[in-house]
């Protein structure tokens, strides 16, 4: 039978519950257990697909096309698995399902209420996720902070569910903040005590407490929290701020967190094998070199908007024992070629990530032009490929004012255009090419040298495509379409063979990168960025 672990948060939001969930998942996997992780998001949106990245951060896309919370990216990277729509539950999707059932008469005329209908639907999502892969453990993280009105149905559903399946088959972990007062040099436990009391008032007694803190937690504070929160002293776990999220599993393991979890759930403990993870952390802490990658985007004020891109760059850097420093470049600030040069003169590689809308596009085109003209390793992701096509069409193929119809519906040269099947669809939710699609790669190209295989599967999230009518004109000007859909109708990868590394893809490779298995395209970028950095350093070495 699947064992269930519920993770809630208290005191403040953005505590890193997702990293705690992912880290515990990693620790259980290291003991040979199968794990899946589920996120409960209390917002009313059906999914984050139409939400601003400034509010929600990155939209992570799963293999099945589910647009989900960015925490699912952490889950996949830590436990090295593929998740699905079943792993991301929102209040919007729950309420929508219940209302649709009511409209179809499935409740046989009953008054539809929060209990049992909404809570029942939430519980069914738990069962659905566990039936999908039948894991040894399902870890469910509840978004938000305990006490939030919108989160109450989830807490009540968890209370009911735990009662129904038996308390030896589930447990509650509460993550709280311990504020540190520098003037008195004290860690204050009272907010955590109050938070646990709120959780108890809803009928849930947590078996374990994870303490987020800036400074080490002393025995006195741990003993006090164990006493007032009614739990074993060994179940009060410190989670101190760290330079890398990949250090967290090792810090939790050092406090025997996994063994305590298994004891609570009446599961036999097994020896763990974290050698590969320790090696990973050692590489993070002991880089042999550093490089700078310029990331030119329109949501750079919130780094979480590009979290998978940043992590993918770090993964690739580790393969070369190199620390990757990100230089954030707000594309709106790049108003001309001179401005592009001033921002990019010190970078070893450039990434233009995905996005939507016309804001900042001209700046991205200037960045791409600078990369192409100065042979700076370049990787374009989704919109980054579309912009590369536009830039090349204007400046190399002589197609004046070429553009995407997303930005200019009346452009003479529609080198990027809306997919035919999307032209008559109103609204935005779930109208894109989403999820995993095949791509055929041409041999003797940079893309093939990266993947070393002809057929790949990659995740997509976009509405607009390269306009195949311009294929001949652009290839004649020197652009190479190195990856297409198997039928050859959709361009998936373009590259500029004259440069050391100028590759752009219509899909999102960042969603499939792993800390111990970096994505091939990011490795290609990194290899060339590292080479460029070393050549420059040698050139100026005295």
């Amino acid at each position: 039978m699947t064992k269930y672990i519920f993770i809630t948060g208290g005191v403040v939001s953005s505590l890193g519950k997702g990293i705690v969930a992912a880290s515990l998942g990693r620790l259980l996997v290291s003991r040979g257990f199968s794990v899946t992780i589920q996120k409960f998001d209390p917002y009313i949106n059906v999914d984050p697909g139409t939400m601003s990245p400034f509010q929600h951060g990155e939209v992570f896309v799963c293999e099945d096309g589910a647009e989900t919370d960015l925490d699912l990216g952490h889950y996949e990277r830590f436990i090295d698995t593929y998740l699905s729509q079943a792993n991301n539950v929102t209040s919007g999707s729950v309420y929508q399902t219940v209302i649709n059932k009511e409209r179809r008469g499935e409740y046989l005329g009953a008054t539809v209420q929060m209990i049992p209908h909404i809570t029942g639907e939430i519980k069914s999502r738990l069962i659905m996720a566990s039936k999908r892969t039948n894991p040894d453990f399902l870890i469910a993280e509840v978004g938000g902070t305990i006490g939030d009105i919108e989160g109450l149905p989830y807490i009540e559903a968890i209370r009911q569910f735990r009662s129904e399946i038996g308390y030896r088959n589930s447990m509650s972990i509460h993550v709280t903040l311990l504020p540190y007062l520098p003037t008195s040099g004290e860690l204050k436990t009272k907010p955590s005590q109050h938070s646990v009391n709120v959780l108890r008032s809803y009928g849930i007694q947590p078996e374990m407490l994870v303490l987020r803190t800036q400074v080490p937690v002393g025995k006195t504070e741990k003993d006090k929290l164990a006493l007032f929160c009614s739990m074993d002293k060994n179940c009060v776990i410190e989670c101190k701020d760290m330079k890398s999220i990949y250090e967290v599993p090792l810090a939790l393991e050092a406090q025997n967190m996994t063994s305590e979890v298994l004891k609570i759930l009446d599961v036999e403990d097994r020896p763990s094998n974290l050698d590969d993870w320790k090696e990973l952390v050692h590489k993070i802490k002991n880089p042999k070199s550093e490089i700078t990658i310029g990331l030119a985007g329109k949501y750079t004020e919130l780094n979480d908007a590009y979290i998978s891109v940043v992590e993918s760059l770090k993964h690739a850097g580790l393969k070369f024992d190199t620390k990757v420093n990100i230089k954030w470049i707000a594309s709106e600030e790049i108003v001309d070629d001179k401005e592009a040069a001033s921002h990019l003169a010190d970078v070893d590689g450039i990434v233009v990530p995905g996005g939507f809308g016309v804001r900042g596009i001209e700046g991205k085109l200037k960045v791409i032009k600078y990369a192409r003209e100065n042979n700076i390793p370049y990787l374009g992701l989704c919109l980054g490929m579309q912009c590369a096509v536009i830039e090349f069409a204007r400046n190399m193929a002589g197609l004046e004012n070429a553009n995407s119809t997303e930005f200019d519906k009346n452009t003479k040269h529609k080198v990027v255009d809306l997919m035919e099947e999307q032209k008559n669809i109103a609204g935005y939710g779930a109208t894109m090419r989403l999820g995993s699609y095949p791509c055929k790669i041409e041999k003797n190209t940079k893309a093939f040298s990266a993947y070393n295989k002809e057929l790949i599967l990659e995740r997509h999230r976009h509405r607009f495509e390269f306009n195949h009518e311009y294929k001949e004109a652009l290839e004649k000007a020197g652009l190479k379409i190195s990856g297409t859909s198997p039928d050859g109708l959709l361009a998936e990868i373009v590259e500029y063979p004259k440069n050391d590394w100028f590759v752009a893809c219509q899909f999102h490779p960042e969603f499939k990168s792993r800390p111990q298995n970096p994505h091939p395209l990011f490795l290609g970028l990194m290899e060339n960025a590292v080479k460029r950095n070393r050549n420059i350093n040698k050139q100026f070495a005295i």
Side-chain angles (χ1 to χ4, degrees):
M1 179 180 179
T2 297
K3 302 282 186 173
Y4 296 84
I5 302 169
F6 298 101
I7 297 182
T8 53
V11 183
V12 295
S13 60
S14 301
L15 278 175
K17 297 187 300 296
I19 299 299
V20 172
S23 296
L24 178 56
R26 176 75 247 172
L27 295 175
L28 290 167
V29 168
S30 76
R31 282 168 161 77
F33 294 109
S34 58
V35 178
T36 193
I37 311 181
Q38 193 172 32
K39 177 72 182 286
F40 290 136
D41 267 318
Y43 51 71
I44 307 299
N45 304 68
V46 174
D47 60 47
T50 57
M51 295 169 70
S52 166
F54 286 124
Q55 286 200 11
H56 189 266
E58 171 189 85
V59 175
F60 186 82
V61 178
C62 298
E63 287 286 290
D64 63 352
E67 295 177 284
T68 70
D69 184 80
L70 61 84
D71 274 328
L72 269 76
H74 291 311
Y75 303 160
E76 284 204 356
R77 288 187 284 270
F78 272 66
I79 65 175
D80 194 17
T81 190
Y82 289 161
L83 302 178
S84 72
Q85 183 69 71
N87 295 87
N88 195 201
V89 179
T90 68
S91 291
S93 68
V94 170
Y95 296 150
Q96 186 179 63
T97 299
V98 169
I99 290 170
N100 287 341
K101 286 181 178 180
E102 184 274 332
R103 291 290 83 187
R104 293 193 298 267
E106 291 186 27
Y107 297 122
L108 304 176
T111 301
V112 178
Q113 297 175 294
M114 194 66 69
I115 303 172
H117 301 100
I118 297 297
T119 54
E121 181 61 29
I122 293 169
K123 288 186 288 184
S124 75
R125 302 295 179 94
L126 276 165
I127 295 167
M128 186 191 310
S130 62
K131 281 185 175 179
R132 180 174 172 266
T133 57
N134 194 28
D136 297 316
F137 294 91
L138 185 150
I139 301 171
E141 175 201 347
V142 181
T145 308
I146 197 68
D148 294 344
I149 291 174
E150 56 266 34
L152 292 179
Y154 294 97
I155 302 303
E156 171 59 19
I158 290 168
R159 184 196 68 77
Q160 295 176 17
F161 190 77
R162 293 195 64 189
S163 176
E164 291 163 3
I165 67 170
Y167 288 96
R168 300 298 283 180
N169 294 317
S170 68
M171 69 174 291
S172 166
I173 299 176
H174 196 49
V175 183
T176 67
L177 175 70
L178 284 193
Y180 176 69
L181 303 183
T183 51
S184 61
E186 289 182 295
L187 278 170
K188 307 305 289 185
T189 65
K190 191 63 71 176
S192 293
Q193 294 178 46
H194 283 304
S195 184
V196 170
N197 282 338
V198 172
L199 187 56
R200 281 168 161 175
S201 72
Y202 298 145
I204 295 177
Q205 165 64 51
E207 285 85 2
M208 182 173 284
L209 203 58
V210 175
L211 310 173
R212 295 288 290 107
T213 173
Q214 292 177 292
V215 299
V217 182
K219 184 176 183 298
T220 302
E221 288 84 5
K222 286 187 176 182
D223 289 350
K224 183 189 289 187
L225 284 164
L227 176 65
F228 286 105
C229 298
S230 303
M231 63 182 63
D232 192 292
K233 292 178 182 179
N234 294 330
C235 291
V236 180
I237 307 294
E238 173 190 294
C239 188
K240 195 163 70 73
D241 293 350
M242 296 172 190
K243 290 183 179 179
S244 169
I245 58 175
Y246 300 111
E247 296 179 60
V248 176
L250 299 183
L252 299 181
E253 179 69 7
Q255 299 172 76
N256 297 314
M257 179 183 183
T258 322
S259 296
E260 293 300 326
V261 166
L262 295 172
K263 186 191 300 181
I264 291 166
L265 293 172
D266 197 24
V267 176
E268 182 182 0
D269 203 347
R270 299 174 181 174
S272 68
N273 183 0
L274 288 166
D275 291 344
D276 57 344
W277 205 263
K278 290 175 183 176
E279 182 182 351
L280 172 75
V281 172
H282 177 77
K283 281 191 170 188
I284 293 171
K285 290 183 172 181
N286 301 280
K288 294 178 181 177
S289 62
E290 292 187 26
I291 65 166
T292 300
I293 299 293
L295 201 158
K298 56 195 291 186
Y299 309 117
T300 52
E301 296 94 329
L302 181 67
N303 295 358
D304 274 358
Y306 303 113
I307 186 68
S308 288
V309 177
V310 171
E311 292 305 310
S312 298
L313 288 168
K314 291 178 181 177
H315 301 163
L318 290 173
K319 200 76 172 178
F320 297 93
D321 296 315
T322 298
K323 178 183 178 183
V324 178
N325 299 310
I326 306 295
K327 182 173 184 179
W328 296 95
I329 299 165
S331 58
E332 284 180 286
E333 296 177 5
I334 311 298
V335 294
D336 53 31
D337 291 343
K338 185 178 178 181
E339 194 71 29
S342 68
H343 278 79
L344 299 167
D346 61 343
V347 305
D348 303 298
I350 295 170
V351 174
V352 172
F356 296 92
V358 71
R359 183 173 62 84
I361 291 300
E362 292 301 320
K364 290 186 178 186
L365 298 180
K366 296 289 190 299
V367 167
I368 294 167
K369 181 185 178 187
Y370 183 88
R372 179 180 55 77
E373 292 182 341
N374 293 276
N375 195 17
I376 298 177
Y378 172 74
L379 179 61
L381 311 172
C382 195
L383 180 61
M385 176 187 130
Q386 296 173 5
C387 287
V389 168
I390 295 168
E391 189 279 327
F392 201 89
R394 289 182 184 181
N395 299 314
M396 295 294 285
L399 301 174
E400 188 178 357
N401 296 322
N403 215 330
S404 166
T405 52
E406 180 182 6
F407 315 132
D408 181 4
K409 292 181 180 179
N410 300 313
T411 182
K412 181 181 177 181
H413 297 293
K414 302 176 181 179
V415 292
V416 177
D417 200 4
L418 196 64
M419 293 187 293
E420 194 62 38
E421 61 267 30
Q422 303 294 344
K423 288 184 177 179
N424 297 318
I425 296 179
Y428 290 100
T431 61
M432 294 182 284
R433 185 149 74 106
L434 287 164
S436 184
Y437 286 85
C439 168
K440 186 178 180 180
I441 303 177
E442 186 175 326
K443 290 185 176 180
N444 301 316
T445 61
K446 296 188 187 301
F448 187 84
S449 70
Y451 283 99
N452 198 29
K453 54 184 176 181
E454 290 186 67
L455 191 66
I456 59 170
L457 290 169
E458 293 286 1
R459 301 182 193 181
H460 294 66
R461 182 179 183 252
H462 62 98
R463 293 186 184 87
F464 292 80
E465 298 275 2
F466 171 78
N467 188 343
H468 206 69
E469 293 177 10
Y470 288 89
K471 179 179 185 292
E472 184 178 347
L474 293 183
E475 289 202 322
K476 186 177 180 180
L479 191 70
K480 177 68 177 175
I481 298 174
S482 55
T484 66
S485 55
D487 59 11
L489 296 179
L490 299 175
E492 296 281 20
I493 307 173
V494 301
E495 55 188 68
Y496 185 48
K498 289 186 178 181
N499 281 18
D500 294 331
W501 181 265
F502 188 100
V503 177
C505 54
Q506 185 58 79
F507 46 82
H508 288 271
E510 66 270 25
F511 294 148
K512 296 185 77 168
S513 183
R514 301 288 186 263
Q516 292 155 319
N517 187 21
H519 192 280
L521 293 184
F522 281 91
L523 283 175
L525 172 75
M526 196 59 55
E527 180 181 7
N528 285 276
V530 169
K531 281 181 184 177
R532 184 176 189 276
N533 177 273
R534 288 173 182 168
N535 289 336
I536 290 173
N537 288 339
K538 283 180 184 178
Q539 181 182 344
F540 292 101
I542 298 175

